[in-house]
Amino acid sequence: MARLRRSRYSDGMMLPLLLLALAAASPSPRDAAGNQLEPLKPAAEQAARLCTGDQRWCAGIDDDSATLSVFTGPTGAAVASVELEQDEDETLAVWPQMARLAAPGAGVLIGVERRRSASYSGGGGGTTVLELIQVWPDRSRPPRSVLTLPLKGEIMIRACFSKQDFADRKGACQDIYTFDATLTLAPETASGPPKFQFATLAKAFPPKASRGTPTPSLKRLKKSELVPTPDLACSYRRVLAFDPKSQTYRPDSPLPDCDDYTTP
């Protein structure tokens, strides 16, 4: 799971519930233990840095060196600089949220969005994977990667290769796969590291679409199939808890294989 190269200082729930979880405009920003999930916004003094509302924590990524730096403020010194592994087709961005940990000296969880895209004849798409990295404010330990999850996907595959295909599919000449996920705090956590709620919603258009199925088998679509349809196998909800043995977050049950939606 870990994607850090080094530190410079050394099965599914019911669909209505998933829809509610993804649509929640204001999830609880704090759990009972005092861990807090808060937004990061561009700093007026340093637009390249994203900061908490109180300006206590800021983060930014140097694109040239693929280095994540965490700062004590919009113009403050770095408390950690982490060189990130980066694939050739990846772009990196700071996740615009941060988990501030309640335990004394525990620091924060900073997120890195790993975005990938691909294009091919008649189609293409992009996906985003989230990596959470724990950073300590006193440099007492090197930053560590604690969680990696799929966050977003949109894939389009060419589906018409003739006039007959166009007619049979009623002009719907692309298979489309979308995936959206939310990561929020589990508010009932009363002590220790935060737990997270992870909810996903995957949709396929048409509903029969599968990247492992030859497109010609999806001919003669009905009007009722000309709408994106939730894929219940890849629309799920999990609770993620910190595992002291592995020093990473683990889901309460395994995540399904949803490569159709999360691999460009």
Side-chain angles (χ1 to χ4, degrees):
M1 177 180 291
R3 297 293 303 275
L4 304 185
R5 190 156 67 226
R6 64 178 181 273
S7 166
R8 291 183 180 175
Y9 296 114
S10 313
D11 277 287
M13 295 287 289
M14 294 181 65
L15 182 60
L17 294 177
L18 291 164
L19 292 170
L20 286 173
L22 286 164
S26 301
S28 175
R30 184 187 294 268
D31 62 22
N35 301 298
Q36 185 170 340
L37 190 64
E38 51 194 298
L40 298 177
K41 296 182 179 180
E45 301 89 340
Q46 290 277 357
R49 297 185 187 182
L50 298 184
C51 299
T52 54
D54 62 4
Q55 306 285 287
R56 170 64 181 84
W57 290 94
C58 298
I61 293 177
D62 185 301
D63 293 332
D64 293 332
S65 62
T67 299
L68 168 70
S69 295
V70 182
F71 306 91
T72 56
T75 58
V79 297
S81 294
V82 183
E83 293 183 9
L84 302 165
E85 290 185 353
Q86 183 180 19
D87 295 337
E88 290 185 1
D89 60 349
E90 273 187 335
T91 59
L92 305 175
V94 175
W95 186 47
Q97 296 190 72
M98 183 202 74
R100 196 184 309 224
L101 306 182
V108 296
L109 300 179
I110 298 289
V112 174
E113 293 185 355
R114 297 180 172 276
R115 302 168 182 169
R116 299 180 63 187
S117 61
S119 59
Y120 27 85
S121 177
T127 59
T128 300
V129 170
L130 173 65
E131 179 182 13
L132 285 188
I133 298 169
Q134 185 170 5
V135 174
W136 284 264
D138 57 2
R139 307 180 188 177
S140 58
R141 307 184 204 178
R144 67 184 176 197
S145 178
V146 296
L147 176 63
T148 302
L149 288 170
L151 198 62
K152 191 173 183 63
E154 184 170 6
I155 313 295
M156 294 178 287
I157 307 295
R158 180 182 177 184
C160 292
F161 299 89
S162 67
K163 291 182 179 180
Q164 188 61 52
D165 289 341
F166 184 89
D168 288 343
R169 291 180 59 103
K170 298 178 174 58
C173 284
Q174 285 185 319
D175 294 342
I176 302 174
Y177 307 83
T178 61
F179 181 92
D180 288 284
T182 60
L183 187 69
T184 57
L185 287 183
E188 68 277 5
T189 304
S191 63
K195 292 182 180 179
F196 292 100
Q197 296 172 335
F198 182 59
T200 75
L201 178 61
K203 291 184 179 181
F205 172 82
K208 300 177 188 177
S210 170
R211 293 172 71 180
T213 301
T215 295
S217 66
L218 301 179
K219 291 184 176 182
R220 298 178 185 174
L221 296 179
K222 302 175 183 177
K223 285 187 177 181
S224 61
E225 296 173 325
L226 298 178
V227 293
T229 302
D231 181 336
L232 295 182
C234 288
S235 299
Y236 57 89
R237 188 180 177 92
R238 297 288 188 272
V239 173
L240 304 157
F242 187 73
D243 173 30
K245 184 176 181 180
S246 67
Q247 296 289 291
T248 59
Y249 276 86
R250 300 292 189 186
D252 52 358
S253 60
L255 305 186
D257 181 357
C258 298
D259 282 353
D260 274 6
Y261 302 91
T262 60
T263 301

